[in-house]
Amino acid sequence: EEEARLLSELQESSAIKLQSIYRGVLGRKVGKELSLEAERLRLEEEARLLAEAERLAEAERLRLEEEARLLSELQESSAIKLQSIYRGVLGRKVGKELSLEAERLRLEEEAEKLQLEKESNLESNEENEFEEEK
C-alpha cells in the first residue's frame, strides 16, 4: 500500500509538473502571439499616422502654392495699378506743360500782332503828320 501511495504521489507530482510545463509553453506561445499582435497594431497605427502626416503635408504644400499664386497676382496687379497711376500723373504733367507752352506761344503771337499793329499805327500817324505838314 505504501508503494501504491508513493506511485500515486509520483503520478500526481508528474502530472502537476507536466501541466506546469504545458502551461509555460502555452503561456509563452500566447505571450508571443499577444506581443506579435501588439507589434502589428503598433505598425498599423504608425502607418496610419504616417499617411495622415503625408496628407497634411500635401494639403500644406497646396495651400502654400495657392498663397504664392495669389501673392504673385496681387504683386502684378499692384504693379500695374502703380504704373497706371504714374502714367496718369506723368500724362497730366506733360499735358499741363504742353497747354502752358501752347498758351505761351499764343500770347507771344498775340503780342507780336499787337506790336505790329502798334508799329503800323505809328507809321500811319507819322504819315498823317507828314501829310499834314505838307
Side-chain angles (χ1 to χ4, degrees), residues 61-120:
R61 184 188 65 77
L62 292 173
R63 186 191 68 76
L64 290 174
E65 280 180 4
E66 180 65 10
E67 188 175 291
R69 184 188 66 76
L70 291 172
L71 180 60
S72 177
E73 285 179 6
L74 179 62
Q75 287 173 334
E76 184 177 343
S77 67
S78 296
I80 290 169
K81 186 66 178 174
L82 284 172
Q83 290 167 354
S84 173
I85 291 169
Y86 179 75
R87 283 192 304 271
V89 167
L90 189 60
R92 285 187 291 281
K93 181 180 177 186
V94 168
K96 186 174 183 177
E97 288 173 358
L98 289 174
S99 177
L100 289 172
E101 180 64 16
E103 180 66 13
R104 186 187 64 77
L105 290 173
R106 187 188 66 73
L107 290 173
E108 281 181 5
E109 192 175 295
E110 197 174 300
E112 283 179 29
K113 284 181 184 177
L114 289 173
Q115 184 66 31
L116 288 174
E117 278 181 27
K118 183 179 177 184
E119 288 174 4
S120 175

Side-chain angles (χ1 to χ4, degrees), residues 8-78:
S8 176
E9 283 178 9
L10 182 61
Q11 285 175 340
E12 187 179 329
S13 163
S14 294
I16 291 171
K17 187 65 173 171
L18 283 173
Q19 289 171 356
S20 173
I21 291 170
Y22 181 74
R23 281 193 304 271
V25 168
L26 188 61
R28 284 188 291 279
K29 182 180 176 184
V30 168
K32 186 171 186 172
E33 288 173 358
L34 289 174
S35 177
L36 290 174
E37 180 63 15
E39 180 67 9
R40 184 188 64 76
L41 291 173
R42 186 190 67 76
L43 291 174
E44 283 178 1
E45 179 65 9
E46 193 174 295
R48 186 191 67 75
L49 291 173
L50 180 59
E52 179 67 11
E54 287 172 349
R55 185 190 67 74
L56 291 173
E58 179 64 11
E60 180 66 6
R61 184 188 65 77
L62 292 173
R63 186 191 68 76
L64 290 174
E65 280 180 4
E66 180 65 10
E67 188 175 291
R69 184 188 66 76
L70 291 172
L71 180 60
S72 177
E73 285 179 6
L74 179 62
Q75 287 173 334
E76 184 177 343
S77 67
S78 296

